[in-house]
Amino acid sequence: MDRVTRREVLGGSLAAVAGVAGTSSLAKAESDTASVSGDDWIVLECAIKETVLDGNRVRLRAYNDQIPGPTITATPGTTLRIRMKNSLPPYDSSAWGGDHNVPHGLDHTALHLHGMDVLPHLFVPIGTSEPLAPMIKIPPGEHLDYVFEIPENHPPGLNWYHPHKHGATAVQAASGMAGPLIVKGALDEVPEIKAARSIPLVIQDIGLFPSEDDPDLWTYEPVQNAIWQTYGGYVTINGERTSLNGGFTTGDYKLRYYLLNGEPFFRETHNDRPNEDTSPVPAQLTPQRFTLAPGEVVRFLMLNGSSDNLMPIVVDGHEVHLLAMDGVNFPQVRSIPATGYSETDGQLLLAPANRAEFLIKANATPGVYQIRQIPHDRQFLESAAKVVAEIEVKGPAQDMALPDELPVPSREYPLIEPEEVSRVRQIVFTGSVPGIINKVVGGDYLINNAIYSEMEVPTVVDLGGVEEWHLSLEDTHHGGIEGHPFHIHVNSFEVVSIGGIEQPPGLIQDTIWVPVNETVVVRMRFKEYVGKAVYHCHILPHEDTGMMQNFLIVDPASRHDHS
């Protein structure tokens, strides 16, 4: 972790930085982390990283030359200081026509702390309440200092960080730019949890095309306005077919890898026979294996950091003892049986950006058990079955205990009562292919029939206010052909019901999968912070091309212009 003095801090402005030391690496253990306390600063530097995946030479983008990025560990009541340095090479966007929802500016970046209940931080200046505030865009060769006061009652748990510069988020994240952020707290002091080993399971997808100028290199560097046509397997610019090898994609890639803690466990290649099957050709690679003693209890921290893959997860032969979703723990452990789970949702349903923390007590019977994703067709393309990792049970038996009661996360409790709701909103994912509005991309990805506008604020909420949002999709003639993960910044929400089925109280998330033909009902209280923020689909190519909206949290005492 690099040290930055107060004299070097420029109050959130952009400045050049010379010489950066990397923070420690996420290896296979949670102990390899960057801790935050007092005046410590963490420097995150994004830059090109060349490496080899599955025998292929690849050019990626990474934080501090690591994929995933370094694990940041923080505690409630402290100040988190991050210097975001951009060392990406220049990118030619001169052909960009100015449409904010056409991917562009791949050399600019911004930082988002996903799941952290902190100051809004996507617009200039950080924490602004100005409706016309522009988005942060850190140019190559410059940096931005982010300073966050972590609330004293912030829930402990697994969160993460990733880029959030509109028009470049998908390319940067699908090239490797993401990392875990763990808040330590009372949950970690529960004796049974403290006694358990912690194993991170950071899942990312890496999208690749052959380089335009190096025949032995795979990368994701689309030429401005170049769009990959999934069905045809070719690239267009403004509708005209080109000889380019790759372009921005809202579907598959020529080559895609799924990584666990930086190592590939699954490969997909583009299907060149679309008349037979439009879905990618899957190939299981050798998964990582974790060794547990019979009766040993281990804590897994799983992040679905993929750009667009829904993951119904099963741990074969084992009960899953769920502690938390999206960084907020339950007051009691929720145990999900090893059999009889949902055939579509598995034991855990992780949309892109979801996190799950759970305990596994190793089976008394030695053997190898799989942590796997159930295959499904709930998105644009089918998602094949994947073995994410393996658990090998062997060695002398133990008899470790499982907890029952967990600390109550006071920032989220008491839960919202129905009579507290002051407003109900309808949030509908809509769109069409081919595109009517976004003709360069060739598809419209909308919320409430509107494409993203940086300067418009269609939703204004009150600080301290309580709202109920009904999340759904339009019918199949208006974009409702695949589910979408809904994500909102700043505050988490309680999931009330899915498809009319009430959920057990206390399911607190910041991202939720919205299925086809079902409505998801959530309730949220807008706590502590005012400012301009966003909600969006967390299928990142959809977000980058318009499936996002701004919202503004205002103090009702000063609310007179924004409603």
Side-chain angles (χ1 to χ4, degrees):
M1 181 171 61
D2 198 22
R3 183 84 168 179
V4 181
T5 66
R6 291 186 181 276
R7 186 170 295 177
E8 292 177 290
V9 180
L10 302 178
S13 63
L14 295 171
V17 179
V20 175
T23 57
S24 55
S25 167
L26 174 71
K28 298 297 182 292
E30 187 187 333
S31 60
D32 296 323
T33 62
S35 298
V36 180
S37 62
D39 294 330
D40 286 345
W41 278 80
I42 288 176
V43 175
L44 291 178
E45 179 183 15
C46 60
I48 294 297
K49 175 182 177 65
E50 290 201 9
T51 186
V52 175
L53 290 178
D54 185 36
N56 289 310
R57 188 169 141 252
V58 297
R59 178 185 292 146
L60 308 176
R61 297 168 178 85
Y63 291 115
N64 294 13
D65 201 41
Q66 300 171 214
I67 295 176
T71 302
I72 298 173
T73 302
T75 54
T78 61
T79 301
L80 179 59
R81 299 176 173 90
I82 300 175
R83 172 163 288 185
M84 183 67 246
K85 180 185 177 184
N86 184 0
S87 295
L88 295 172
Y91 173 80
D92 183 5
S93 282
S94 59
W96 178 52
D99 184 340
H100 204 55
N101 298 300
V102 172
H104 64 283
L106 304 184
D107 53 354
H108 288 58
T109 195
L111 181 66
H112 174 45
L113 304 189
H114 186 124
M116 294 295 290
D117 196 346
V118 294
L119 197 70
H121 51 279
L122 288 196
F123 297 90
V124 180
I126 294 171
T128 182
S129 292
E130 170 54 53
L132 299 180
M135 283 189 144
I136 291 170
K137 295 179 280 289
I138 307 171
E142 300 190 6
H143 79 263
L144 179 62
D145 291 323
Y146 292 83
V147 178
F148 301 104
E149 302 295 334
I150 303 175
E152 292 186 357
N153 61 352
H154 197 291
L158 175 63
N159 300 292
W160 63 306
Y161 60 90
H162 60 78
H164 214 302
K165 183 267 172 188
H166 192 57
T169 301
V171 170
Q172 292 177 3
S175 295
M177 285 174 59
L181 195 167
I182 299 173
V183 179
K184 293 287 190 179
L187 181 66
D188 305 279
E189 298 305 314
V190 174
E192 297 87 350
I193 296 175
K194 193 171 185 177
R197 284 188 291 149
S198 287
I199 299 178
L201 301 173
V202 178
I203 300 167
Q204 298 168 272
D205 63 341
I206 300 293
L208 298 164
F209 295 96
S211 168
E212 303 297 342
D213 50 24
D214 186 338
D216 297 320
L217 180 69
W218 291 84
T219 187
Y220 191 14
E221 299 173 358
V223 172
Q224 181 63 55
N225 301 333
I227 305 298
W228 167 254
Q229 303 295 334
T230 295
Y231 286 122
Y234 56 88
V235 178
T236 60
I237 293 181
N238 296 321
E240 297 295 323
R241 186 164 178 166
T242 73
S243 60
L244 293 170
N245 292 320
F248 183 83
T249 176
T250 58
D252 71 346
Y253 301 81
K254 270 281 190 181
L255 177 65
R256 172 158 37 181
Y257 287 105
Y258 289 87
L259 311 183
L260 178 67
N261 299 342
E263 297 181 10
F265 65 88
F266 199 83
R267 181 182 67 233
E268 291 179 343
T269 52
H270 174 70
N271 192 335
D272 289 322
R273 302 182 302 277
N275 292 332
E276 298 178 21
D277 183 5
T278 56
S279 295
V281 179
Q284 179 68 51
L285 305 178
T286 303
Q288 293 177 46
R289 180 175 291 184
F290 303 100
T291 301
L292 279 65
E296 180 186 4
V297 173
V298 168
R299 179 185 182 183
F300 288 100
L301 298 94
M302 178 177 279
L303 160 65
N304 180 1
S306 61
S307 62
D308 72 348
N309 186 45
L310 176 70
M311 302 191 77
I313 297 293
V314 170
V315 183
D316 284 334
H318 289 80
E319 275 190 288
V320 170
H321 304 283
L322 188 60
L323 304 175
M325 286 294 297
D326 288 1
V328 181
N329 67 269
F330 306 104
Q332 293 87 28
V333 176
R334 298 190 176 185
S335 296
I336 306 160
T339 58
Y341 48 78
S342 166
E343 293 183 2
T344 56
D345 292 355
Q347 291 169 297
L348 303 167
L349 183 66
L350 298 185
N354 276 149
R355 291 89 66 207
E357 299 171 54
F358 55 93
L359 300 176
I360 294 295
K361 184 168 184 175
N363 202 307
T365 304
V368 176
Y369 301 86
Q370 294 180 339
I371 302 175
R372 58 185 174 86
Q373 179 211 302
I374 295 174
H376 66 87
D377 59 358
R378 299 158 78 177
Q379 296 184 254
F380 171 58
L381 298 174
E382 292 182 3
S383 181
K386 300 172 179 66
V387 179
V388 178
E390 293 177 337
I391 294 172
E392 183 174 12
V393 178
K394 67 178 183 178
Q398 303 181 20
D399 188 17
M400 294 179 65
L402 291 163
D404 183 17
E405 300 293 319
L406 303 176
V408 175
S410 60
R411 193 169 182 84
E412 303 293 344
Y413 283 76
L415 299 175
I416 296 169
E417 298 294 337
E419 58 270 19
E420 296 183 76
V421 174
S422 61
R423 180 161 185 170
V424 176
R425 297 183 193 265
Q426 305 290 331
I427 306 295
V428 184
F429 291 112
T430 58
S432 65
V433 177
I436 299 170
I437 302 171
N438 198 337
K439 294 184 178 179
V440 173
V441 172
D444 293 336
Y445 299 96
L446 317 173
I447 295 179
N448 291 348
N449 292 316
I451 199 166
Y452 179 66
S453 173
E454 185 178 14
M455 300 301 172
E456 293 182 7
V457 180
T459 304
V460 180
V461 302
D462 285 338
L463 181 67
V466 175
E467 297 196 357
E468 181 175 288
W469 290 18
H470 294 201
L471 316 172
S472 63
L473 280 62
E474 259 288 12
D475 58 49
T476 55
H477 297 293
H478 300 89
I481 57 174
E482 64 173 319
H484 296 275
F486 170 86
H487 170 56
I488 190 167
H489 288 211
V490 186
N491 295 284
S492 297
F493 49 75
E494 182 182 7
V495 182
V496 177
S497 65
I498 301 175
I501 300 174
E502 289 191 10
Q503 301 300 297
L507 178 56
I508 310 295
Q509 299 186 213
D510 56 58
T511 306
I512 184 70
W513 180 256
V514 182
V516 174
N517 297 324
E518 295 183 11
T519 296
V520 175
V521 177
V522 302
R523 294 188 188 127
M524 67 193 99
R525 189 189 311 274
F526 300 96
K527 302 179 288 289
E528 188 167 352
Y529 301 107
V530 298
K532 185 179 179 182
V534 299
Y535 54 87
H536 57 84
C537 172
H538 218 284
I539 294 175
L540 297 183
H542 294 181
E543 170 198 326
D544 257 349
T545 53
M547 198 168 258
M548 180 164 69
Q549 287 192 353
N550 296 326
F551 74 104
L552 187 66
I553 307 171
V554 300
D555 186 339
S558 60
R559 178 175 176 164
H560 54 273
D561 292 328
H562 305 307
S563 60

